Amino acid sequence: SETGRSNVHAGLPPDFKFGVASSSYQVEGATKEGGRGLSNWDAFCQQYPEKIADGSNGDPGAGSYWLYKDDVKHLVELGVDVYRFSISWSRILPNGRGKPNKEGIQYYSNLIQELLDHGIQPFVTLFHWDVPQKLEDEYGGFLGRQIVDDFRHFVDICFSEFGDKVKHWITMNEPLTFTASGYALGIYPPGHCTPNLTYEGQNYECPVGDSLTEPYIVGHNILLAHAEAVQLYKDTYKAKQGGKVGITLVTNWFEPYDSSPLNVEAQQRALESNLGWFLDPLKFGDYPFSMRSLARDRLPKFTAEESEKLKGSYDFIGLNYYTARYARNIGFDINYEPKIYQDDARFDSLVDKNGIPIGYAQENSWVNVYPNGLKELLLYVKNRYDNPEIYITENGVMQLNNNTNNNTNNNPPATNSTEISNKIAEAKELNDIYRAQYLASHIQELVEAIRSGSKVRGYFVWSLLDSFEWNFGYTSKFGFYYINSNKNSTNKEKPAADLTRIPKHSANWFKWFIAVANSPVVTLTNDQPPAST
Ligand code: GBH
């Protein structure tokens, strides 16, 4: 294989890739540097600080705009084959369209070159949720059909500038999360939901939106933009550059609440409305029948031509897997009025059964540890979608940090006791044995899925670094490397002093795991008898 790895000790194919992942808005920081334009996330964090747990934003992130060489040093330290990062549309095109910003192009060229110089292959996500704000203001971003043309223009620049060196492209990250969080719950930009919405016992406040229709429109435009990007790559770049293009989708795994036929059907509708919403059009050219029949005229239609363009528009599928839920049927009720698009699938998504969670979780965490769900998901995809090539593009677990007293940048001067409690909090974060266990148990399930015929080609851990965790701000930490982002830098040219990356236990564990997986196989034959004693 190109990396000279064996992987045999992990029970994986020789060319299997290990990696870590990140995204532009979460790690780069420097949101006002290098000619970058305003993005939807900048605008959202500014307008709705109360929707971000610690009122923070993408600055400083992990400071990767300045510290990318340091990031690569740590990738080398881990021994990974691949690094998944995303390109900020607003860095390349500050106004969303028009002429590219040279400094933005330079930054990603530098990062890509630094990776290649160290033998690490880039996996590049073209859209990880950060939309140029100009396009939001002009026509509502992904609510407008115009996004398809503007996205094509953006990816065209990326393919032509970076395509000689980038051989794996991911058009979109998690359309499900982008649509649900932005347009049904309003917890991500643009903060749309049906005003005065209550869902699963929570209240959601949004000035505008329609949680029953907008998610479907946005999902539709994402699919069309994806298909357009893939078509462009095939027509103009593939022959010359020889790369592959895929898309990254996310779903919880769903177990039926019990083995009754209605709950087994609920499980199927759950998987269809989360994964099938996007993967069915990509494979079969249309939404799942269960969605068509339940969402009816709220679900947009594809023309015959669009449907053809969508069908088979991927070389691989990226899957992000974190956790699982029970699916329980919601019985037929003639007076039933859906309030949010999730209601259409007529199931309850439950963490508990008889008071027992589906898997262990930290308090207030959405990650219930359910490793078997990864294997189940892989075999479900193998069977329903004719066994595509797969990368697990994200898997990981967070440390929640809701109660430390260093969550804001304007703390009163530290007393001895806050200093000590901060030290203790830091030590706890570095000693993340649960993270190594989480990863090890998921990799084991992945090995079993491969043994059962699933074509998984690689596995990325989310994430390289502690970073801006969207609505959780800096209170939820997924990194192999600890960063104290709360000590905000005063000198933007030298943020290194404040953003030192410290390896957690799990980083050392992963490094060890990759090394052992790749250690040489010693074979004893008659020609080479063991040294006699
Ligand atoms: C991924 O989403 C993202 O791709 C990545 O950027 C992110 O950093 C990573 O996960 C870790 O979160 O507010 O409690 O109701 C995973 C899918 C969907 C999981 C939204 C969390 C909200 C939980 N995410 N969901 S909650």
Side-chain angles (χ1 to χ4, degrees):
S1 75
E2 66 193 64
T3 52
R5 298 187 179 285
S6 74
N7 276 319
V8 288
H9 298 294
L12 291 164
D15 53 358
F16 191 85
K17 310 284 184 218
F18 282 107
V20 291
S22 72
S23 89
S24 52
Y25 191 71
Q26 295 181 270
V27 301
E28 286 177 9
T31 60
K32 298 184 180 71
E33 311 295 322
R36 180 184 177 280
L38 199 71
S39 80
N40 60 337
W41 273 95
D42 300 304
F44 183 76
C45 295
Q46 164 108 53
Q47 194 184 351
Y48 301 107
E50 74 281 3
K51 293 200 180 198
I52 312 289
D54 54 4
S56 65
N57 57 50
D59 280 310
S64 293
Y65 184 71
W66 304 110
L67 299 175
Y68 69 94
K69 286 192 178 170
D70 197 51
D71 291 352
V72 175
K73 193 180 92 189
H74 294 305
L75 293 165
V76 171
E77 194 168 79
L78 290 172
V80 293
D81 310 288
V82 287
Y83 179 47
R84 174 178 177 235
F85 64 92
S86 81
I87 294 182
S88 155
W89 188 340
S90 302
R91 265 194 208 291
I92 302 293
L93 293 162
N95 292 314
R97 62 164 86 88
K99 282 214 326 233
N101 164 36
K102 292 223 167 61
E103 281 180 87
I105 300 221
Q106 193 59 51
Y107 170 66
Y108 295 107
S109 296
N110 292 346
L111 171 57
I112 290 163
Q113 196 54 52
E114 186 74 6
L115 288 166
L116 294 175
D117 287 348
H118 290 85
I120 296 164
Q121 306 297 316
F123 269 58
V124 179
T125 310
L126 291 158
F127 178 70
H128 200 123
W129 307 344
D130 43 353
V131 187
Q133 184 58 27
K134 188 84 187 301
L135 306 185
E136 290 288 340
D137 294 341
E138 269 182 37
Y139 56 79
F142 274 90
L143 275 172
R145 186 65 78 104
Q146 241 178 288
I147 200 78
V148 176
D149 288 337
D150 285 333
F151 185 70
R152 194 212 292 106
H153 177 60
F154 163 58
V155 304
D156 198 357
I157 295 168
C158 295
F159 294 151
S160 82
E161 289 289 341
F162 312 123
D164 55 336
K165 295 180 176 162
V166 173
K167 299 304 159 196
H168 290 88
W169 296 99
I170 294 163
T171 56
M172 309 277 180
N173 179 67
E174 296 187 358
L176 178 75
T177 306
F178 180 76
T179 53
S181 300
Y183 300 87
L185 302 175
I187 59 173
Y188 288 7
H192 286 199
C193 64
T194 304
N196 302 317
L197 175 74
T198 304
Y199 175 59
E200 293 182 336
Q202 297 250 107
N203 293 323
Y204 296 90
E205 293 294 337
C206 307
V208 289
D210 180 347
S211 304
L212 277 171
T213 56
E214 287 191 0
Y216 291 132
I217 295 167
V218 168
H220 201 73
N221 288 334
I222 288 183
L223 283 163
L224 296 176
H226 159 87
E228 216 44 59
V230 172
Q231 188 72 48
L232 172 68
Y233 191 79
K234 273 190 199 148
D235 292 349
T236 314
Y237 295 99
K238 189 151 192 160
K240 204 168 40 185
Q241 299 180 347
K244 294 188 171 193
V245 189
I247 185 169
T248 280
L249 304 177
V250 68
T251 186
N252 292 338
W253 176 248
F254 291 96
E255 288 292 340
Y257 190 70
D258 58 30
S259 58
S260 72
L262 284 176
N263 286 334
V264 172
E265 283 179 20
Q267 174 203 26
Q268 294 307 309
R269 288 197 306 281
L271 291 166
E272 287 172 16
S273 59
N274 280 267
L275 182 69
W277 181 4
F278 300 99
L279 198 41
D280 270 35
L282 296 170
K283 174 68 187 169
F284 308 116
D286 197 7
Y287 297 114
F289 176 74
S290 63
M291 289 183 72
R292 281 248 166 266
S293 60
L294 290 163
R296 301 270 170 146
D297 54 359
R298 283 184 282 110
L299 197 58
K301 294 197 170 55
F302 298 109
T303 65
E305 197 195 330
E306 288 166 350
S307 174
E308 278 312 305
K309 206 178 263 191
L310 274 161
K311 246 188 254 180
S313 60
Y314 54 87
D315 297 310
F316 63 89
I317 296 298
L319 291 176
N320 294 350
Y321 177 77
Y322 288 90
T323 191
R325 296 288 182 262
Y326 292 110
R328 190 174 62 190
N329 183 59
I330 295 176
F332 178 77
D333 174 354
I334 193 100
N335 295 316
Y336 183 74
E337 286 285 346
K339 291 203 305 188
I340 182 170
Y341 88 88
Q342 283 92 333
D343 289 344
D344 288 334
R346 311 265 172 111
F347 73 95
D348 283 320
S349 176
L350 303 171
V351 170
D352 291 338
K353 178 174 164 176
N354 303 325
I356 299 167
I358 192 164
Y360 168 79
Q362 291 174 59
E363 204 175 307
N364 299 321
S365 166
W366 52 269
V367 176
N368 291 78
V369 183
Y370 195 76
N372 184 241
L374 178 56
K375 179 181 175 187
E376 294 295 331
L377 173 61
L378 285 167
L379 296 182
Y380 174 82
V381 170
K382 169 178 182 264
N383 294 333
R384 183 176 168 106
Y385 299 100
D386 195 22
N387 207 9
E389 253 186 51
I390 303 269
Y391 287 89
I392 300 301
T393 40
E394 290 179 27
N395 177 234
V397 63
M398 79 293 257
Q399 159 103 30
L400 285 170
N401 209 5
N402 298 321
N403 49 9
T404 56
N405 40 26
N406 60 355
N407 279 342
T408 61
N409 298 322
N410 50 1
N411 286 328
T415 64
N416 275 340
S417 70
T418 55
E419 231 167 76
I420 288 166
S421 67
N422 285 346
K423 277 273 175 252
I424 292 169
E426 182 172 316
K428 266 168 97 176
E429 286 180 42
L430 296 179
N431 188 23
D432 60 341
I433 305 213
Y434 66 93
R435 178 171 284 114
Q437 285 177 341
Y438 177 99
L439 299 175
S441 55
H442 284 78
I443 293 170
Q444 185 52 43
E445 295 289 333
L446 183 141
V447 169
E448 287 185 25
I450 293 174
R451 283 199 191 125
S452 302
S454 171
K455 297 198 299 208
V456 187
R457 304 299 192 219
Y459 171 84
F460 295 79
V461 172
W462 186 273
S463 184
L464 176 62
L465 308 164
D466 287 346
S467 65
F468 176 72
E469 184 50 38
W470 310 115
N471 53 324
F472 292 90
Y474 297 94
T475 67
S476 175
K477 300 180 156 209
F478 277 86
F480 271 142
Y481 289 83
Y482 170 85
I483 290 179
N484 191 347
S485 330
N486 303 307
K487 287 192 230 156
N488 211 345
S489 174
T490 45
N491 180 352
K492 69 178 193 241
E493 298 297 332
K494 283 188 75 202
D498 295 331
L499 295 169
T500 311
R501 288 99 165 84
I502 307 173
K504 301 179 189 176
H505 163 81
S506 58
N508 292 321
W509 173 81
F510 197 49
K511 174 184 168 154
W512 166 87
F513 180 85
I514 293 174
V516 170
N518 289 298
S519 62
V521 185
V522 179
T523 41
L524 301 178
T525 68
N526 287 335
D527 302 337
Q528 296 162 295
S532 58
T533 49

